[in-house]
Short mmCIF file of all heavy atoms in Angstrom, two decimals:
data_model
loop_
_atom_site.label_atom_id
_atom_site.label_comp_id
_atom_site.label_asym_id
_atom_site.label_seq_id
_atom_site.Cartn_x
_atom_site.Cartn_y
_atom_site.Cartn_z
N SER A 1045 0.85 -1.18 0.00
CA SER A 1045 0.00 0.00 0.00
C SER A 1045 0.89 1.23 0.00
O SER A 1045 2.09 1.15 0.30
CB SER A 1045 -0.92 0.01 1.23
OG SER A 1045 -0.15 0.03 2.42
N GLY A 1046 0.29 2.38 -0.36
CA GLY A 1046 1.00 3.64 -0.25
C GLY A 1046 1.50 4.23 -1.55
O GLY A 1046 2.08 5.32 -1.55
N GLY A 1047 1.30 3.55 -2.66
CA GLY A 1047 1.73 4.13 -3.93
C GLY A 1047 0.86 5.31 -4.33
O GLY A 1047 -0.14 5.62 -3.69
N GLY A 1048 1.27 5.99 -5.40
CA GLY A 1048 0.48 7.11 -5.87
C GLY A 1048 1.28 8.01 -6.78
O GLY A 1048 2.34 7.65 -7.28
N LEU A 1049 0.74 9.21 -6.97
CA LEU A 1049 1.34 10.22 -7.83
C LEU A 1049 1.93 11.32 -6.96
O LEU A 1049 1.26 11.82 -6.04
CB LEU A 1049 0.28 10.79 -8.77
CG LEU A 1049 0.68 11.98 -9.63
CD1 LEU A 1049 1.76 11.58 -10.63
CD2 LEU A 1049 -0.55 12.54 -10.36
N VAL A 1050 3.17 11.70 -7.25
CA VAL A 1050 3.83 12.74 -6.48
C VAL A 1050 4.71 13.55 -7.41
O VAL A 1050 5.18 13.04 -8.44
CB VAL A 1050 4.65 12.11 -5.33
CG1 VAL A 1050 5.80 11.26 -5.87
CG2 VAL A 1050 5.16 13.16 -4.37
N GLN A 1051 4.93 14.80 -7.07
CA GLN A 1051 5.82 15.64 -7.86
C GLN A 1051 7.28 15.34 -7.54
O GLN A 1051 7.60 14.88 -6.42
CB GLN A 1051 5.54 17.11 -7.61
CG GLN A 1051 4.23 17.60 -8.20
CD GLN A 1051 4.07 19.10 -8.10
OE1 GLN A 1051 4.57 19.73 -7.18
NE2 GLN A 1051 3.38 19.69 -9.07
N ALA A 1052 8.15 15.62 -8.47
CA ALA A 1052 9.58 15.44 -8.25
C ALA A 1052 10.02 16.20 -7.00
O ALA A 1052 9.59 17.33 -6.77
CB ALA A 1052 10.36 15.91 -9.46
N GLY A 1053 10.86 15.54 -6.20
CA GLY A 1053 11.30 16.12 -4.94
C GLY A 1053 10.43 15.75 -3.76
O GLY A 1053 10.81 15.99 -2.61
N GLY A 1054 9.28 15.16 -4.03
CA GLY A 1054 8.37 14.79 -2.97
C GLY A 1054 8.70 13.46 -2.33
O GLY A 1054 9.73 12.83 -2.64
N SER A 1055 7.81 13.01 -1.45
CA SER A 1055 8.03 11.78 -0.69
C SER A 1055 6.80 10.90 -0.73
O SER A 1055 5.67 11.39 -0.86
CB SER A 1055 8.35 12.11 0.77
OG SER A 1055 9.51 12.89 0.89
N LEU A 1056 7.04 9.60 -0.61
CA LEU A 1056 5.98 8.62 -0.43
C LEU A 1056 6.49 7.55 0.53
O LEU A 1056 7.70 7.31 0.62
CB LEU A 1056 5.61 7.95 -1.76
CG LEU A 1056 4.71 8.69 -2.74
CD1 LEU A 1056 4.59 7.89 -4.04
CD2 LEU A 1056 3.33 8.95 -2.15
N ARG A 1057 5.55 6.89 1.19
CA ARG A 1057 5.90 5.79 2.08
C ARG A 1057 5.09 4.57 1.67
O ARG A 1057 3.86 4.61 1.70
CB ARG A 1057 5.62 6.16 3.53
CG ARG A 1057 5.90 5.06 4.55
CD ARG A 1057 5.63 5.59 5.95
NE ARG A 1057 5.59 4.58 6.98
CZ ARG A 1057 6.64 4.18 7.67
NH1 ARG A 1057 7.83 4.68 7.41
NH2 ARG A 1057 6.52 3.27 8.62
N LEU A 1058 5.78 3.53 1.28
CA LEU A 1058 5.13 2.27 0.93
C LEU A 1058 5.16 1.33 2.13
O LEU A 1058 6.11 1.35 2.92
CB LEU A 1058 5.85 1.60 -0.24
CG LEU A 1058 6.02 2.43 -1.51
CD1 LEU A 1058 6.71 1.58 -2.59
CD2 LEU A 1058 4.72 2.97 -2.01
N SER A 1059 4.13 0.54 2.24
CA SER A 1059 4.07 -0.48 3.30
C SER A 1059 3.72 -1.82 2.69
O SER A 1059 3.07 -1.89 1.64
CB SER A 1059 3.03 -0.09 4.35
OG SER A 1059 3.42 1.08 5.04
N CYS A 1060 4.14 -2.86 3.37
CA CYS A 1060 3.89 -4.23 2.91
C CYS A 1060 3.60 -5.08 4.14
O CYS A 1060 4.40 -5.10 5.08
CB CYS A 1060 5.10 -4.75 2.17
SG CYS A 1060 5.03 -6.51 1.75
N ALA A 1061 2.49 -5.79 4.10
CA ALA A 1061 2.12 -6.66 5.22
C ALA A 1061 1.93 -8.08 4.72
O ALA A 1061 1.28 -8.31 3.70
CB ALA A 1061 0.84 -6.15 5.87
N ALA A 1062 2.49 -9.01 5.46
CA ALA A 1062 2.35 -10.43 5.13
C ALA A 1062 1.23 -11.04 5.96
O ALA A 1062 1.03 -10.68 7.12
CB ALA A 1062 3.66 -11.17 5.40
N SER A 1063 0.53 -11.95 5.34
CA SER A 1063 -0.51 -12.69 6.06
C SER A 1063 -0.51 -14.13 5.56
O SER A 1063 0.15 -14.46 4.57
CB SER A 1063 -1.88 -12.05 5.85
OG SER A 1063 -2.23 -12.07 4.47
N GLY A 1064 -1.25 -14.98 6.25
CA GLY A 1064 -1.31 -16.37 5.86
C GLY A 1064 -0.42 -17.24 6.71
O GLY A 1064 -0.11 -16.92 7.85
N ARG A 1065 0.05 -18.33 6.14
CA ARG A 1065 0.78 -19.34 6.90
C ARG A 1065 2.27 -19.00 6.95
O ARG A 1065 3.10 -19.72 6.39
CB ARG A 1065 0.55 -20.72 6.27
CG ARG A 1065 -0.91 -21.14 6.28
CD ARG A 1065 -1.11 -22.44 5.55
NE ARG A 1065 -0.45 -23.56 6.20
CZ ARG A 1065 -0.99 -24.27 7.18
NH1 ARG A 1065 -2.20 -23.96 7.64
NH2 ARG A 1065 -0.33 -25.27 7.72
N THR A 1066 2.59 -17.91 7.66
CA THR A 1066 4.00 -17.55 7.81
C THR A 1066 4.66 -18.50 8.79
O THR A 1066 4.04 -18.96 9.75
CB THR A 1066 4.15 -16.11 8.28
OG1 THR A 1066 3.47 -15.97 9.54
CG2 THR A 1066 3.56 -15.13 7.29
N SER A 1067 5.93 -18.81 8.55
CA SER A 1067 6.65 -19.77 9.39
C SER A 1067 7.74 -19.11 10.20
O SER A 1067 8.68 -19.76 10.64
CB SER A 1067 7.26 -20.86 8.50
OG SER A 1067 8.17 -20.30 7.57
N GLY A 1068 7.63 -17.82 10.41
CA GLY A 1068 8.63 -17.10 11.19
C GLY A 1068 8.77 -15.70 10.65
O GLY A 1068 7.86 -15.17 9.99
N THR A 1069 9.91 -15.11 10.94
CA THR A 1069 10.18 -13.75 10.45
C THR A 1069 11.08 -13.85 9.24
O THR A 1069 12.14 -14.49 9.29
CB THR A 1069 10.85 -12.91 11.55
OG1 THR A 1069 10.04 -12.95 12.72
CG2 THR A 1069 11.01 -11.48 11.09
N TYR A 1070 10.69 -13.20 8.16
CA TYR A 1070 11.39 -13.34 6.88
C TYR A 1070 12.26 -12.14 6.56
O TYR A 1070 11.88 -11.01 6.87
CB TYR A 1070 10.38 -13.48 5.75
CG TYR A 1070 9.42 -14.63 5.86
CD1 TYR A 1070 8.08 -14.46 5.56
CD2 TYR A 1070 9.85 -15.90 6.23
CE1 TYR A 1070 7.18 -15.50 5.63
CE2 TYR A 1070 8.96 -16.95 6.30
CZ TYR A 1070 7.63 -16.76 6.01
OH TYR A 1070 6.74 -17.80 6.07
N PRO A 1071 13.39 -12.35 5.89
CA PRO A 1071 14.03 -11.22 5.22
C PRO A 1071 13.05 -10.66 4.19
O PRO A 1071 12.34 -11.42 3.52
CB PRO A 1071 15.24 -11.84 4.53
CG PRO A 1071 15.48 -13.12 5.24
CD PRO A 1071 14.14 -13.59 5.70
N MET A 1072 13.02 -9.34 4.07
CA MET A 1072 12.07 -8.73 3.14
C MET A 1072 12.79 -7.73 2.24
O MET A 1072 13.89 -7.27 2.58
CB MET A 1072 10.92 -8.05 3.90
CG MET A 1072 10.13 -9.04 4.76
SD MET A 1072 8.70 -8.32 5.56
CE MET A 1072 7.58 -8.14 4.17
N GLY A 1073 12.17 -7.43 1.13
CA GLY A 1073 12.80 -6.51 0.21
C GLY A 1073 11.79 -5.81 -0.67
O GLY A 1073 10.61 -6.18 -0.70
N TRP A 1074 12.27 -4.81 -1.37
CA TRP A 1074 11.48 -4.07 -2.35
C TRP A 1074 12.21 -4.09 -3.69
O TRP A 1074 13.43 -3.89 -3.75
CB TRP A 1074 11.28 -2.62 -1.91
CG TRP A 1074 10.37 -2.45 -0.75
CD1 TRP A 1074 10.71 -2.39 0.57
CD2 TRP A 1074 8.95 -2.33 -0.79
NE1 TRP A 1074 9.60 -2.23 1.36
CE2 TRP A 1074 8.49 -2.19 0.55
CE3 TRP A 1074 8.00 -2.31 -1.80
CZ2 TRP A 1074 7.16 -2.04 0.87
CZ3 TRP A 1074 6.67 -2.15 -1.48
CH2 TRP A 1074 6.26 -2.03 -0.15
N PHE A 1075 11.44 -4.32 -4.73
CA PHE A 1075 11.93 -4.25 -6.09
C PHE A 1075 11.02 -3.30 -6.87
O PHE A 1075 9.93 -2.96 -6.40
CB PHE A 1075 11.90 -5.64 -6.75
CG PHE A 1075 12.93 -6.59 -6.21
CD1 PHE A 1075 12.78 -7.18 -4.97
CD2 PHE A 1075 14.05 -6.90 -6.95
CE1 PHE A 1075 13.73 -8.05 -4.46
CE2 PHE A 1075 15.02 -7.78 -6.47
CZ PHE A 1075 14.84 -8.35 -5.21
N ARG A 1076 11.48 -2.90 -8.04
CA ARG A 1076 10.62 -2.08 -8.89
C ARG A 1076 10.85 -2.46 -10.33
O ARG A 1076 11.90 -2.99 -10.71
CB ARG A 1076 10.90 -0.59 -8.67
CG ARG A 1076 12.26 -0.12 -9.12
CD ARG A 1076 12.47 1.34 -8.73
NE ARG A 1076 13.76 1.86 -9.19
CZ ARG A 1076 14.24 3.07 -8.88
NH1 ARG A 1076 13.53 3.88 -8.09
NH2 ARG A 1076 15.41 3.45 -9.35
N GLN A 1077 9.82 -2.17 -11.13
CA GLN A 1077 9.91 -2.48 -12.56
C GLN A 1077 9.20 -1.39 -13.33
O GLN A 1077 8.00 -1.16 -13.15
CB GLN A 1077 9.29 -3.84 -12.86
CG GLN A 1077 9.51 -4.31 -14.28
CD GLN A 1077 9.21 -5.78 -14.46
OE1 GLN A 1077 8.59 -6.42 -13.60
NE2 GLN A 1077 9.66 -6.36 -15.56
N ALA A 1078 9.95 -0.72 -14.19
CA ALA A 1078 9.39 0.28 -15.08
C ALA A 1078 9.05 -0.38 -16.40
O ALA A 1078 9.62 -1.44 -16.74
CB ALA A 1078 10.40 1.41 -15.28
N PRO A 1079 8.16 0.21 -17.18
CA PRO A 1079 7.79 -0.39 -18.48
C PRO A 1079 9.00 -0.64 -19.36
O PRO A 1079 9.87 0.23 -19.51
CB PRO A 1079 6.86 0.66 -19.09
CG PRO A 1079 6.29 1.37 -17.92
CD PRO A 1079 7.38 1.42 -16.89
N GLY A 1080 9.10 -1.83 -19.91
CA GLY A 1080 10.18 -2.16 -20.82
C GLY A 1080 11.51 -2.48 -20.16
O GLY A 1080 12.52 -2.64 -20.86
N THR A 1081 11.52 -2.57 -18.83
CA THR A 1081 12.77 -2.87 -18.13
C THR A 1081 12.59 -4.11 -17.26
O THR A 1081 11.48 -4.59 -17.04
CB THR A 1081 13.20 -1.70 -17.24
OG1 THR A 1081 12.29 -1.56 -16.14
CG2 THR A 1081 13.23 -0.40 -18.03
N GLY A 1082 13.70 -4.61 -16.75
CA GLY A 1082 13.65 -5.75 -15.85
C GLY A 1082 13.37 -5.31 -14.42
O GLY A 1082 13.33 -4.12 -14.11
N ARG A 1083 13.17 -6.30 -13.57
CA ARG A 1083 12.89 -6.01 -12.16
C ARG A 1083 14.20 -5.60 -11.47
O ARG A 1083 15.19 -6.32 -11.52
CB ARG A 1083 12.27 -7.23 -11.49
CG ARG A 1083 11.64 -6.93 -10.16
CD ARG A 1083 10.66 -8.00 -9.75
NE ARG A 1083 9.47 -8.02 -10.58
CZ ARG A 1083 8.38 -8.71 -10.27
NH1 ARG A 1083 8.35 -9.46 -9.18
NH2 ARG A 1083 7.33 -8.68 -11.08
#
């Protein structure tokens, strides 16, 4: 959650919550993918 439209120089805060059959605490990460590029 937390994505959106912002002007250059601005800020955003993304959040990610896990649910379901978690088996402990996981290493977590963020990736991004722009059109026509890799992750």
Side-chain angles (χ1 to χ4, degrees):
S1045 60
L1049 173 65
V1050 65
Q1051 289 188 329
S1055 299
L1056 281 174
R1057 178 178 168 89
L1058 305 182
S1059 294
C1060 172
S1063 61
R1065 299 175 65 86
T1066 59
S1067 60
T1069 305
Y1070 302 137
M1072 300 185 74
W1074 289 94
F1075 289 75
R1076 67 186 182 186
Q1077 188 165 14
T1081 69
R1083 194 161 292 192

